[in-house]
């Protein structure tokens, strides 16, 4: 039997895509809404069985306040957080607020669905690999220093690193597509995945984060598919 659920994420396009995929798998998706700030009110009003709540910064203070309110006013609603690779503090904060699970943004739809079903059944929905990574970081802090740039870099594929370099150089979707020899729609998808993995909402934020963390310095030389284009103003495509 399908689950009555809601998908709430600041990235409306991603929320709607996930909602559509879950509908195709037989679930009853009540809404795909943004921004996350309005999640609690919407979930309390619609009272789904499960709410998928997207977040870009799971360790930020107050990020899970909507979860606290949802569980206080609709305790029967299971909340599964959808976010980036979490730190132990991020996972702990989600569960302390009352969440039933944590799923990575880049998880396959099958994994998301498993988390939904576990949450509805009252079980904790966290991938063993996430728990293992969290415990490893807690037990071996010296072996895993807090290097945000290196951590973010490990989340990106070589192609996505190239996309980030081009974004940081000010290239828009058209120039990225031309420089990499791919369709604009493919370039746009690559950019969106980079933004999602970095947990930011715009190209400007991605460029700023890369500069702040030294991410691109850690990447070493990146072989672009064409000579670097002249710097262009950063232009949001979304």
């Amino acid at each position: 039997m399908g689950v009555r659920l809601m998908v709430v994420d600041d990235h409306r396009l991603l929320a709607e895509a996930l909602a559509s995929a879950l509908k195709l798998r037989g679930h009853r998706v009540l809404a795909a809404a943004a921004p996350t700030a309005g999640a609690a009110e919407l979930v309390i009003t619609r009272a789904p069985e499960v709410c998928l709540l997207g977040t870009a910064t799971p360790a930020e203070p107050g990020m899970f306040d909507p979860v606290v309110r949802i569980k206080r006013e609709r305790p029967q609603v299971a909340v599964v957080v959808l976010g980036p690779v979490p730190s132990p503090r991020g996972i702990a904060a989600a569960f302390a607020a009352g969440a039933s699970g944590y799923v990575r943004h880049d998880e396959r739809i099958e994994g998301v669905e498993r988390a939904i079903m576990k949450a509805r059944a009252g079980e904790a929905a966290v991938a063993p690999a996430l728990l293992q990574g969290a415990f490893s970081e807690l037990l071996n802090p010296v072996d895993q220093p807090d290097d945000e740039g290196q951590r973010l870099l490990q989340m990106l594929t070589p192609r996505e690193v190239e996309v980030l370099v081009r974004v940081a150089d000010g290239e828009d979707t058209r120039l990225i597509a031309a420089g990499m020899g791919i369709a604009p729609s493919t370039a746009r998808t690559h950019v969106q995945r980079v933004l999602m993995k970095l947990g930011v909402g715009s190209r400007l934020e991605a460029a700023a984060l890369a500069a702040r963390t030294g991410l691109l310095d850690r990447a070493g030389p990146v072989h672009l598919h064409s000579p670097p284009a002249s710097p262009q103003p950063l232009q949001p495509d979304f």
Side-chain angles (χ1 to χ4, degrees):
M1 177 184 292
V3 179
R4 292 177 63 252
L5 59 92
M6 296 181 66
V7 181
V8 184
D9 197 291
D10 282 333
H11 300 285
R12 180 174 291 275
L13 183 61
L14 296 179
E16 291 178 348
L18 180 55
S20 296
L22 290 168
K23 284 180 181 178
L24 290 175
R25 300 178 77 86
H27 300 290
R28 293 165 288 168
V29 185
L30 301 181
T36 304
E41 191 67 40
L42 192 59
V43 173
I44 290 167
T45 300
R46 302 299 294 273
E49 293 177 278
V50 179
C51 170
L52 285 175
L53 179 65
T55 178
T57 53
E60 182 177 314
M63 179 54 60
F64 297 118
D65 286 352
V67 180
V68 174
R69 185 182 171 199
I70 290 168
K71 296 305 293 184
R72 182 176 64 243
E73 300 192 30
R74 295 283 187 180
Q76 75 275 18
V77 176
V79 180
V80 176
V81 175
L82 191 67
V85 178
S87 66
R89 185 172 57 178
I91 292 180
F95 279 90
S100 298
Y102 193 108
V103 180
R104 284 176 48 164
H105 266 139
D106 58 354
E107 178 62 78
R108 296 175 63 87
I109 189 63
E110 294 85 0
V112 176
E113 187 175 40
R114 281 195 298 272
I116 290 170
M117 302 305 290
K118 280 189 172 185
R120 185 176 68 168
E123 302 175 26
V126 185
L130 283 183
L131 287 179
Q132 182 179 6
F135 283 126
S136 177
E137 185 175 335
L138 286 171
L139 295 172
N140 303 287
V142 176
D143 296 334
Q144 298 184 1
D146 185 16
D147 187 335
E148 186 179 6
Q150 187 62 37
R151 179 180 63 80
L152 294 173
L153 180 62
Q154 291 174 350
M155 296 165 55
L156 303 177
T157 66
R159 174 61 62 93
E160 289 165 350
V161 172
E162 178 177 350
V163 168
L164 180 57
V165 170
R166 292 180 180 276
V167 167
D169 284 343
E171 295 188 13
D172 59 17
T173 299
R174 177 180 57 82
L175 287 174
I176 293 173
M180 298 180 68
I182 56 180
S185 59
T186 302
R188 188 172 294 108
T189 297
H190 282 315
V191 170
Q192 188 60 54
R193 287 191 62 83
V194 169
L195 299 185
M196 179 182 70
K197 287 186 176 183
L198 295 183
V200 297
S202 71
R203 293 162 180 258
L204 185 60
E205 289 180 73
L209 179 63
R212 178 174 62 80
T213 62
L215 188 157
L216 298 182
D217 293 337
R218 291 166 172 77
V222 176
H223 301 289
L224 301 181
H225 286 72
S226 68
S230 300
Q232 300 290 328
L234 287 171
Q235 301 177 13
D237 282 345
F238 305 98

